[in-house]
Amino acid sequence: AGAAEGCFPRLWWPRWRHIACGKLQLGRGLAWLYFELFHSLLRRDPPRRLEWAEAEAACASADELEQERSKAGAHTLQFLLFLYVQQVNKVSLRTSLIGEEWPSPRTKSPSLTGKSTSENKNWNDQDHHAFVQSHLSDMLELLLEPEQLTASSHATHSSLVSYEAVCALSFLIEGTVNKSMMVHPLHELALWQPCHGQNGYSKVSKAFSFPKLESWLRSCLMTNPFGMTACLKSGKKLAWAQQVEGTTRRAKIACNTCVVPEVFPMVIMSQVYKQTLAKSSDTLVGAHVRIHRCNESFIYLLSPLRSVTIEKCRNSTFILGPVQASVHVHSCDNVKVIVVCHRLCLSSTAGCTFYILTPTQPLILSGNQAVSFAPFHTHYPMLEDHMAQVGLATLPNYWDSPMLVCKESSDTSVFRLLPPSDFYTFVIPFEMEGDTTETPGGLPHMYQKALSQREQKVQIWQKTVKEAGLTKDQRKQFQMLVENKFYEWLVQTGNRQQLDSLVPPAVGSKQAAG
């Protein structure tokens, strides 16, 4: 019956929409968000992502878009697990009332500044490990076929876990054999002959014994050796930043010690202060990047990236290469982010501006104030090549259609579209090889018009000066006046620091390659 209804083994969008909107009382936008978020986590090849973008951009109406989306399906068991692990950030009322940490005080991971933290479970490897250990039994029961469950929907000692269910678990769990550098999905490891005695695999039933499989998984589970904790504790330090004199802050930048096929690398940068940091590097290609506590800086990461988190940064500008998954900005004040990305998520930000090109609606989570959105407005020579590498196109582009997913979801005053009068293009001041010479997809008419009018004013001004018939001394005096006014403007706007920080450091303190 499930197959006939479009629910199993694949769950199709119309069926999920019916369940989510009809049974779970979710709005249609939120239902699609869950479905699309799940898809963005899968390793779809860039050409397929571009095909999907092209098909969606060609839809002329909401009905056509819905028809196109109805072709989208998800692996049912994997999608169930995806929904289940959303609980990782749920706060336990009991433990918060009695003051216990969850899952336990021992599972705190070191923060980027070296202090322990339990704030953000999305990045805490120990929390992920503790969550899976404490919920493993529930997750396995969720994947069991109905006849393997008791009337109260629990497993018994004789329950069997199908091979398909273990394949679904590969969505969350992968591993190595004897600490080798080859990473395999869980289902491949589970079928490895020497493990059959421990995980209860039967070649006859082509299934696993529930208690044995659970016990085997528990005994082998460990925190991610390529995650943030490992990167902080034993990662390779990168000398990309200058240590600014007169400050106690030490810039810390690190990446995974070893790069392993099939595992996205990780780069962490913390406490970059009062400087310009610019990189286009193999170390960054396909990396998860975490930027933390940077202040009064300009950071250019001009490589194709997997994901980016910008956290607790202030008064800084981030210019990023195309991001295949998501850019999450959290607890930031007065930052500018310029990026082409699959998805943008914001939480607890104040006075931030986002110049973006994105095929999904930007997500405004809770705690944001004075958010500004503007069209993506820059380019560098390799930009379109990098976009193709991560499967991002110029259409569809939802930069101006954010979705409020928070308790303030009716309060649209938390964001605005940047007025064209405040809009200026951004020039990336570095020479690189490549073919891109203009902003991909161009600019919306209103913004282009504002730029053209401003350009016209400059031309009129130049013509007026030319026709004024000034003497040589008057021209010199006039030039000094204009330069002084320009210098004042540079200081007042903070652009003086930006220009100064572009001057290459002295030979002794050069930023390292890498």
Side-chain angles (χ1 to χ4, degrees), residues 290-307:
R290 188 171 185 197
I291 303 168
H292 180 262
R293 289 193 190 279
C294 293
N295 195 1
E296 295 179 52
S297 290
F298 297 86
I299 294 176
Y300 298 77
L301 303 178
L302 305 180
S303 296
L305 309 167
R306 173 63 182 172
S307 76

Side-chain angles (χ1 to χ4, degrees), residues 62-177:
D63 287 347
E64 274 185 38
L65 182 60
E66 199 58 28
Q67 212 173 333
E68 192 56 45
R69 286 178 174 178
S70 66
K71 298 174 189 172
H75 185 293
T76 309
L77 297 181
Q78 283 187 358
F79 187 62
L80 269 177
L81 285 174
F82 166 75
L83 294 175
Y84 186 87
V85 296
Q86 302 309 309
Q87 297 177 83
V88 75
N89 282 303
K90 201 163 74 176
V91 176
S92 158
L93 184 63
R94 185 186 72 84
T95 53
S96 62
L97 284 172
I98 58 176
E100 287 177 10
E101 302 279 10
W102 180 91
S104 81
R106 287 192 306 280
T107 65
K108 282 186 175 183
S109 73
S111 76
L112 295 165
T113 47
K115 302 177 191 119
S116 70
T117 179
S118 56
E119 279 177 42
N120 189 350
K121 296 194 178 105
N122 288 341
W123 279 91
N124 191 326
D125 306 308
Q126 279 98 337
D127 270 344
H128 297 170
H129 179 251
F131 178 85
V132 174
Q133 283 281 16
S134 57
H135 294 81
L136 185 61
S137 191
D138 289 347
M139 286 196 271
L140 286 171
E141 285 180 348
L142 194 65
L143 303 175
L144 287 181
E145 287 167 12
E147 61 271 18
Q148 301 296 330
L149 294 163
T150 62
S152 59
S153 295
H154 288 296
T156 66
H157 198 71
S158 58
S159 293
L160 296 176
V161 183
S162 69
Y163 173 64
E164 288 72 29
V166 176
C167 286
L169 267 177
S170 296
F171 177 66
L172 297 178
I173 302 171
E174 55 191 10
T176 60
V177 178

